[in-house]
Amino acid sequence: MIEKIEDVKLYINGEFVDATGKETFENINPFTNESINLVSKGDQADIEKAVTAAKDAFENGPWGSMKIKERMKYIERIADLIEEEAETIAHLESMDSGLPISQTRKMAARGAENFRFYSRMVQARMHGDAYQVDDEFINYTVYQPLGVVGLITPWNAPFMLLTWKVAPALATGNTVVLKPAELSPLSANILANVMQKAELPKGVFNVVHGFGETAGESLVKHPDVKAISFTGETTTGKRIIKNSADSLKKTSMELGGKSPLIVFEDADFENALDAAVWGIFSFNGERCTANSRVFVHKSLKEKFTEALKQRVQNIIVGDPKENDTEIGPLIDKGHFQKVTGYIELAKEEGCEVFQGSVPEQFSAGNYVPPTLLLNAKNDMRVCQEEIFGPVMAVIEFETEEEVVQMANDIDYGLAGYVWTSDIKRAHRVAQSIDSGMIWVNSQNVRDLRIPFGGMKASGIGREGGHFAIFEFYTEPKAIHVAISDHHIPKFGMKK
Ligand code: NAD
């Protein structure tokens, strides 16, 4: 069991250090709203140190030029160490974020798998192509790491999301400065410990804790940082793109969502119900791909709504440390107020609000009970804006055309879910919905090889699989070689 949580320091050039300004901030437990520990508050000066270390490690250290097999030994070692620490990671993550332990255990395991996966992927797939051009030329491509990359991550699934970026960034030979979310610093700190234990060369991996407006912005604006991979809110993403313009950075944007789940009249009722409930209430509803808009065919609406009500009343709202807890507290008081504000707004907009309950003994935590917004209309603000809590809007529809139109009538385009037994309709609707990912008769399960990301206001670019390697963390270089004599125009020969 975890007794005392050490204060968290920055990790720069292979060492745990205080912030240059010696300032700290409190890390609050969402279950008790009491302080867990203090965290060093990194600032521009610390970003400067971290980027200098990462640049030196890339240009002068062994990392970029290391044989791939050698580099992958480090990546595999990191995965081994994460597996050894998995139970501690899961407990700390639950304490830090309020996510139920049964879910953080899976996230810790996935964190290790992210490193193993990218070790395999880089060894098997990181190669260029060759193009024969008649018998005159051979052109070929090589994929090279970018240099120092900045990774900025959110608090909603902290460890899983940061390993998802760190693993491909390091495996492809880049060096990293990570700015984790200020509301959930513990698992990034464990990762720094893991890197130290794995004896990664100094400066290859650095963590600067701190706030978005200071540490985050300094990282984004730093001229020696070649790329920023960001996961977080759409408004933050827009700001990061603007701030990275002067130094012409490559950016990858994984942003917000308001994803539709459509239940047609011929859907497998029980499976659709299970998936709809899990899809919004897992991760405490703080899930980018959550099905926060559920469209139910008119003929099923009454039965489906009754079933949803039953489930919502039975969901176990509890202590995130307990194995059977299904919903824990939201990340902090500010977010709690945002979510409860939207529930009030739903009433003003004309929804019937139906909620489960929060046991009295958990009143210190930031709990929002599982909530249904019934009789919702797609154009209500509660259906258009990302609430990012355990709140599902239920919207009735009659025709396929109408539901596709409503599903697409939104700024976001991250995920979508279609439930129907009609195979033609399943594909037709899947292809008509404007989102980066669609699941058909399936809950949100994802193979790591598949592209992950959104369109419209949900993002730019894709992570996962070879997409992370080829489209983001490396630069393709084309090399043109003449293999026989060829015509070269002659200038300056006429006088
Ligand atoms: P956020 O945008 O508030 O913060 C994310 C990170 O950005 C934090 O580390 C924060 O410190 C940093 N940041 C904030 N302002 C910054 C700035 N000006 N410059 C640089 N960095 C800055 O997001 P959040 O509240 O932590 O996370 C929730 C959001 O993340 C939701 O909108 C959710 O949908 C989204 N999300 C998206 C995906 C996806 O893959 N599309 C996955 C998970 C979460």
Side-chain angles (χ1 to χ4, degrees):
M1 234 12 251
I2 298 154
E3 306 270 308
K4 157 108 181 74
I5 313 289
E6 299 286 320
D7 289 346
V8 165
K9 297 190 180 209
L10 315 183
Y11 184 67
I12 298 177
N13 208 21
E15 285 175 25
F16 288 94
V17 293
D18 290 325
T20 309
K22 305 284 176 220
E23 282 191 66
T24 55
F25 61 96
E26 267 188 316
N27 181 27
I28 305 294
N29 180 336
F31 180 57
T32 59
N33 276 306
E34 287 171 0
S35 178
I36 300 174
N37 61 353
L38 293 176
V39 182
S40 289
K41 188 169 152 198
D43 226 320
Q44 189 180 3
D46 305 291
I47 290 288
E48 192 59 50
K49 289 178 184 168
V51 173
T52 303
K55 188 176 181 215
D56 187 50
F58 184 76
E59 290 179 356
N60 306 317
W63 193 246
S65 57
M66 193 178 276
K67 285 202 161 67
I68 285 202
K69 255 195 173 159
E70 292 305 307
R71 199 162 72 226
M72 293 317 131
K73 277 189 196 154
Y74 284 102
I75 302 295
E76 295 281 342
R77 174 94 184 106
I78 294 165
D80 292 342
L81 289 165
I82 291 174
E83 269 161 12
E84 282 170 26
E85 298 279 340
E87 195 56 18
T88 308
I89 294 171
H91 276 278
L92 289 178
E93 190 90 315
S94 274
M95 181 190 289
D96 213 10
S97 65
L99 291 167
I101 185 80
S102 60
Q103 295 172 34
T104 55
R105 283 198 175 107
K106 292 194 178 116
M107 293 174 186
R110 187 76 171 222
E113 178 52 22
N114 284 337
F115 282 92
R116 291 204 198 290
F117 173 81
Y118 275 104
S119 165
R120 295 195 296 272
M121 185 55 99
V122 163
Q123 293 182 72
R125 292 289 298 268
M126 203 170 113
H127 55 74
D129 299 310
Y131 307 85
Q132 175 91 35
V133 185
D134 302 323
D135 55 1
E136 288 184 315
F137 304 99
I138 179 110
N139 294 351
Y140 66 93
T141 52
V142 289
Y143 284 83
Q144 296 181 324
L146 305 174
V148 181
V149 296
L151 311 179
I152 302 180
T153 52
W155 47 258
N156 67 310
F159 190 68
M160 191 178 72
L161 290 172
L162 61 89
T163 56
W164 197 347
K165 294 185 191 297
V166 174
L170 291 183
T172 47
N174 298 284
T175 57
V176 163
V177 177
L178 169 67
K179 208 303 278 172
E182 54 271 36
L183 296 177
S184 58
L186 295 184
S187 54
N189 189 49
I190 302 195
L191 191 62
N193 270 300
V194 160
M195 298 294 179
Q196 200 176 44
K197 276 194 201 155
E199 297 178 0
L200 217 66
K202 281 185 191 312
V204 169
F205 175 78
N206 307 273
V207 185
V208 178
H209 296 279
F211 291 84
E213 298 72 18
T214 47
E217 288 218 8
S218 306
L219 184 60
V220 169
K221 290 180 177 169
H222 201 294
D224 290 334
V225 175
K226 301 295 175 203
I228 294 286
S229 176
F230 170 74
T231 300
E233 283 187 19
T234 299
T235 46
T236 316
K238 289 180 183 173
R239 194 177 165 98
I240 288 177
I241 290 175
K242 283 181 193 145
N243 284 336
S244 60
D246 280 345
S247 50
L248 277 181
K249 278 186 184 55
K250 195 174 186 181
T251 56
S252 165
M253 294 283 141
E254 298 287 350
L255 309 175
K258 190 81 179 177
S259 300
L261 182 149
I262 304 173
V263 189
F264 284 99
E265 62 275 28
D266 56 357
D268 179 324
F269 188 92
E270 285 303 319
N271 281 345
L273 179 67
D274 287 343
V277 171
W278 163 257
I280 184 74
F281 298 122
S282 53
F283 297 22
N284 300 338
E286 298 160 326
R287 181 172 192 153
C288 56
T289 50
N291 46 261
S292 43
R293 293 181 298 151
V294 171
F295 295 92
V296 185
H297 190 265
K298 194 176 177 185
S299 64
L300 286 182
K301 191 186 143 202
E302 208 169 306
K303 189 173 162 206
F304 202 82
T305 305
E306 279 315 304
L308 284 174
K309 284 181 173 174
Q310 278 268 305
R311 292 294 184 94
V312 157
Q313 279 171 321
N314 292 339
I315 283 178
I316 302 171
V317 177
D319 180 340
K321 293 189 292 299
E322 296 297 329
N323 285 329
D324 57 359
T325 292
E326 292 172 323
I327 288 194
L330 298 183
I331 185 75
D332 78 338
K333 281 208 163 112
H335 190 54
F336 168 85
Q337 276 153 8
K338 174 182 159 183
V339 175
T340 48
Y342 271 112
I343 295 170
E344 287 311 307
L345 175 65
K347 292 178 191 160
E348 287 165 28
E349 291 193 301
C351 293
E352 178 200 337
V353 173
F354 184 90
Q355 296 188 293
S357 55
V358 178
E360 192 53 41
Q361 74 260 36
F362 301 135
S363 57
N366 310 316
Y367 281 91
V368 171
T371 302
L372 301 174
L373 309 182
L374 302 173
N375 303 325
K377 301 275 178 283
N378 192 54
D379 59 0
M380 290 175 174
R381 274 184 60 202
V382 291
C383 293
Q384 292 288 315
E385 296 172 19
E386 187 182 44
I387 299 175
F388 217 54
V391 183
M392 176 203 280
V394 182
I395 305 164
E396 177 185 306
F397 74 93
E398 272 193 84
T399 66
E400 179 183 319
E401 194 187 14
E402 176 197 14
V403 76
V404 168
Q405 190 272 330
M406 285 196 287
N408 287 339
D409 188 11
I410 188 132
D411 288 341
Y412 293 107
L414 187 58
Y417 309 84
V418 182
W419 286 88
T420 175
S421 304
D422 176 341
I423 191 165
K424 286 188 192 153
R425 173 157 67 188
H427 288 280
R428 201 166 53 232
V429 173
Q431 295 193 17
S432 309
I433 292 178
D434 300 333
S435 69
M437 299 167 287
I438 298 275
W439 281 264
V440 175
N441 295 332
S442 167
Q443 65 121 333
N444 178 332
V445 275
R446 197 176 85 78
D447 186 285
L448 288 174
R449 290 169 300 175
I450 309 296
F452 184 98
M455 43 175 84
K456 299 175 17 183
S458 290
I460 302 175
R462 296 291 182 273
E463 297 198 357
H466 62 275
F467 299 88
I469 294 177
F470 291 123
E471 290 180 12
F472 194 71
Y473 291 108
T474 60
E475 196 86 78
K477 181 184 283 178
I479 299 177
H480 305 252
V481 185
I483 54 172
S484 67
D485 289 340
H486 63 286
H487 172 69
I488 306 176
K490 292 181 187 295
F491 269 30
M493 298 286 289
K494 285 184 182 158
K495 271 192 191 163

